[in-house]
């Protein structure tokens, strides 16, 4: 194997299956993937056109995509198994020459727009692969689950993609600056970083900030489990309650909750490592709050059973009652009115706290 082969160039060449393997010195695999990819696809599509079998064309397309992915992963594994002395020699020669520092920085930042490619440019194959799989794997899994379950709600988790993208971008930029400063980079995956941080008792503030974009996740990453869990339940539960009760008038609460949780995550991140962290929940689980939460859950359970089981059965036997439409027209507005009036009365009847300064009491 030649010492001056470029990993990124080999990876880009392998977008045409087999060329990357030929460039890397794996001639047998290069010929195999090229023949199977082009020969198999040509044969399959030719037969499909001659017979008019659309299913055969679809199967051929799927098999070619699978073969392309196998070729890419096979090349990545070959690169990861590169002897340590080869990698060390290549990095040493590049540092001794002093050439290409600015171009390396430019290409690393440019390639970082696709998560993982910037790390490949730096020679961090395992780290780049973890970002690449996390980003495109999440897209693939969500599309697959959505197509199987026919539930578009799973697409909401696509909101995690900008978080992964930003973190991969910042990580690549930080690493290229450290490399140009003369620091030796260690090719570690994200899981290795988190595990070492857990052992050493420290956490990444950058990752905590990015995770704060999802309510509660940043707090839980910093070790504030109770506070983060309550924020996550509050945010996701608000969607569920507003949807099940058709309370679209309260949709304005969703961005308010999100902003509160996000800025709380930023505040907790700024305190981490400087001030002591206290896992103080939003709502204390003991005392009256625990009983109130239990009552709310019981009421929601009864409402769900009634609307999903009892009311449809009654409407099926007595359609003239129109029970479901009456509940939707009268009961839901009544529930909203009772909640608003009850909350307002509770705030008004709550005893005021006396200020010892103005009341003349001894401090």
């Amino acid at each position: 194997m030649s010492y001056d082969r470029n990993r990124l160039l080999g990876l880009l060449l392998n977008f045409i299956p087999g060329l990357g393997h030929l460039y890397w010195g794996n001639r047998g695999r290069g010929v195999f993937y090229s023949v199977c990819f082009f020969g198999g696809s040509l044969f399959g599509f030719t037969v499909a056109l001659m017979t008019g079998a659309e299913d055969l064309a679809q199967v051929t397309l799927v098999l070619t995509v699978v073969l392309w992915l196998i070729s890419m992963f096979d090349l990545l594994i070959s690169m990861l198994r590169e002897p340590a002395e080869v990698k060390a020699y290549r990095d040493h020669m590049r540092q001794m020459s002093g050439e290409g520092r600015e171009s390396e920085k430019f290409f690393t930042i440019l390639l970082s727009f696709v998560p993982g490619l910037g790390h490949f440019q730096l020679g961090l194959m395992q780290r780049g692969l973890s970002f690449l799989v996390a980003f495109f794997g999440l897209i693939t899994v969500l599309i697959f689950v959505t197509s199987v379950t026919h539930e578009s709600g799973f697409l909401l988790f696509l909101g995690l993609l900008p978080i992964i993208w930003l973190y991969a971008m910042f990580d690549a930029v930080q690493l290229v600056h450290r490399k140009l400063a003369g620091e030796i980079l260690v090719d570690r995956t994200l899981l290795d970083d988190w595990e070492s941080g857990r052992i050493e008792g420290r956490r990444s503030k950058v990752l905590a900030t990015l995770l704060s974009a999802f309510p509660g996740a940043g707090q839980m990453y910093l070790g504030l489990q109770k506070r983060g869990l309550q924020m996550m339940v509050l945010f996701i539960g608000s969607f569920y309650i507003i949807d099940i009760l058709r309370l679209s008038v309260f949709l304005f609460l969703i961005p308010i909750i999100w902003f509160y949780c996000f800025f709380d995550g930023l505040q907790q991140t700024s305190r981490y490592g400087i001030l002591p962290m206290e896992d103080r929940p939003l709502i204390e689980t003991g005392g009256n709050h625990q009983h109130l939460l239990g009552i709310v859950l019981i009421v929601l359970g009864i409402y769900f059973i009634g609307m999903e089981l009892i009311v449809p059965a009654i409407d099926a036997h007595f359609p003239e009652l129109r029970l479901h439409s009456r509940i939707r027209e009268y009961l839901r507005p009544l529930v909203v009115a009772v909640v608003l009036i009850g909350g307002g009365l509770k705030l008004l009847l709550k005893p005021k706290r006396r200020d010892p300064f103005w009341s003349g009491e001894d401090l």
Side-chain angles (χ1 to χ4, degrees), residues 122-140:
L122 295 174
L124 307 176
M125 302 302 295
Q126 297 185 44
R127 194 171 187 84
L129 184 61
S130 63
F131 280 114
L132 193 66
V133 172
F135 187 80
F136 292 102
L138 179 61
I139 296 176
T140 304

Side-chain angles (χ1 to χ4, degrees), residues 284-295:
E284 298 293 340
T285 56
N288 296 328
H289 295 293
Q290 185 174 358
H291 295 294
L292 180 61
L293 180 61
I295 293 174

Side-chain angles (χ1 to χ4, degrees), residues 252-265:
F252 72 93
L253 292 175
I254 301 299
I256 295 176
I257 296 173
W258 184 88
F259 277 109
Y260 175 79
C261 297
F262 178 69
F263 285 110
D264 182 80

Side-chain angles (χ1 to χ4, degrees), residues 197-198 200-206 208 218-219 221-224 265-277:
R198 185 184 66 83
E200 298 171 6
R202 57 179 175 81
R203 293 176 175 85
S204 171
K205 287 190 175 183
V206 176
Q219 288 84 348
Y221 174 71
L222 293 175
L224 308 178
L266 296 182
Q267 183 181 17
Q268 299 296 340
T269 302
S270 64
R271 291 166 53 94
Y272 181 74
I274 302 175
L275 299 174
M277 306 292 290

Side-chain angles (χ1 to χ4, degrees), residues 207-229:
L207 181 56
T209 302
L210 294 175
L211 289 176
S212 297
F214 190 86
Q219 288 84 348
M220 295 180 70
Y221 174 71
L222 293 175
L224 308 178
Q225 303 296 328
K226 296 179 182 179
R227 189 174 186 84
L229 181 61

Side-chain angles (χ1 to χ4, degrees), residues 32-307:
F32 172 78
Y33 284 120
S34 298
V35 172
C36 290
F37 183 83
F38 293 104
S41 59
L42 180 62
F43 176 78
F45 287 120
T46 302
V47 174
L49 289 175
M50 294 178 61
T51 60
E54 296 182 358
D55 294 339
L56 180 59
Q58 294 177 358
V59 171
T60 303
L61 179 61
V62 172
L63 290 178
T64 53
V65 172
V66 171
L67 183 63
W68 183 87
L69 291 174
I70 293 175
S71 174
M72 294 296 292
F73 280 109
D74 188 20
L75 181 61
L76 287 172
I77 293 173
S78 299
M79 292 178 177
L80 290 174
R81 291 178 177 176
E82 180 185 32
E85 60 273 11
V86 177
K87 182 179 182 300
Y89 176 82
R90 184 174 59 249
D91 292 341
H92 175 70
M93 293 302 297
R94 294 178 64 180
Q95 291 179 2
M96 292 294 293
S97 63
E99 299 178 355
R101 294 171 61 88
E102 291 300 324
S103 62
E104 182 177 20
K105 179 179 178 181
F106 171 76
F107 282 112
T108 299
I109 297 176
L110 180 63
L111 291 170
S112 295
F113 281 91
V114 178
L117 292 188
H119 297 82
F120 291 156
Q121 170 69 17
L122 295 174
L124 307 176
M125 302 302 295
Q126 297 185 44
R127 194 171 187 84
L129 184 61
S130 63
F131 280 114
L132 193 66
V133 172
F135 187 80
F136 292 102
L138 179 61
I139 296 176
T140 304
V141 169
L142 290 179
I143 293 177
F144 174 76
V145 172
T146 303
S147 62
V148 171
T149 61
H150 302 287
E151 292 289 340
S152 59
F154 287 103
L155 296 178
L156 292 174
F157 290 97
L158 290 175
L160 296 174
L161 294 178
I163 299 176
I164 301 175
W165 184 85
L166 285 173
Y167 184 66
M169 171 69 75
F170 287 134
D171 186 71
V173 173
Q174 182 184 19
L175 289 173
V176 71
H177 282 98
R178 289 168 55 184
K179 183 176 182 179
L180 294 178
E183 183 177 346
I184 299 177
L185 302 181
V186 180
D187 189 10
R188 298 190 302 183
T189 64
L190 297 178
L191 295 177
D192 293 335
D193 274 354
W194 293 342
E195 184 66 19
S196 63
R198 185 184 66 83
I199 296 175
E200 298 171 6
R202 57 179 175 81
R203 293 176 175 85
S204 171
K205 287 190 175 183
V206 176
L207 181 56
T209 302
L210 294 175
L211 289 176
S212 297
F214 190 86
Q219 288 84 348
M220 295 180 70
Y221 174 71
L222 293 175
L224 308 178
Q225 303 296 328
K226 296 179 182 179
R227 189 174 186 84
L229 181 61
Q230 286 191 358
M231 287 184 173
M232 195 173 293
V233 171
L234 176 63
F235 182 73
I236 300 176
S238 299
F239 279 103
Y240 176 75
I241 294 175
I242 290 175
D243 177 67
I244 194 174
L245 296 179
R246 301 295 191 273
L247 304 178
S248 58
V249 69
F250 289 105
L251 283 175
F252 72 93
L253 292 175
I254 301 299
I256 295 176
I257 296 173
W258 184 88
F259 277 109
Y260 175 79
C261 297
F262 178 69
F263 285 110
D264 182 80
L266 296 182
Q267 183 181 17
Q268 299 296 340
T269 302
S270 64
R271 291 166 53 94
Y272 181 74
I274 302 175
L275 299 174
M277 306 292 290
E278 181 181 358
D279 189 9
R280 186 171 55 187
L282 295 176
I283 301 175
E284 298 293 340
T285 56
N288 296 328
H289 295 293
Q290 185 174 358
H291 295 294
L292 180 61
L293 180 61
I295 293 174
V296 171
L297 293 176
I298 292 174
V299 171
L300 287 176
I302 295 174
Y303 175 83
F304 184 78
I305 293 175
M307 293 299 296

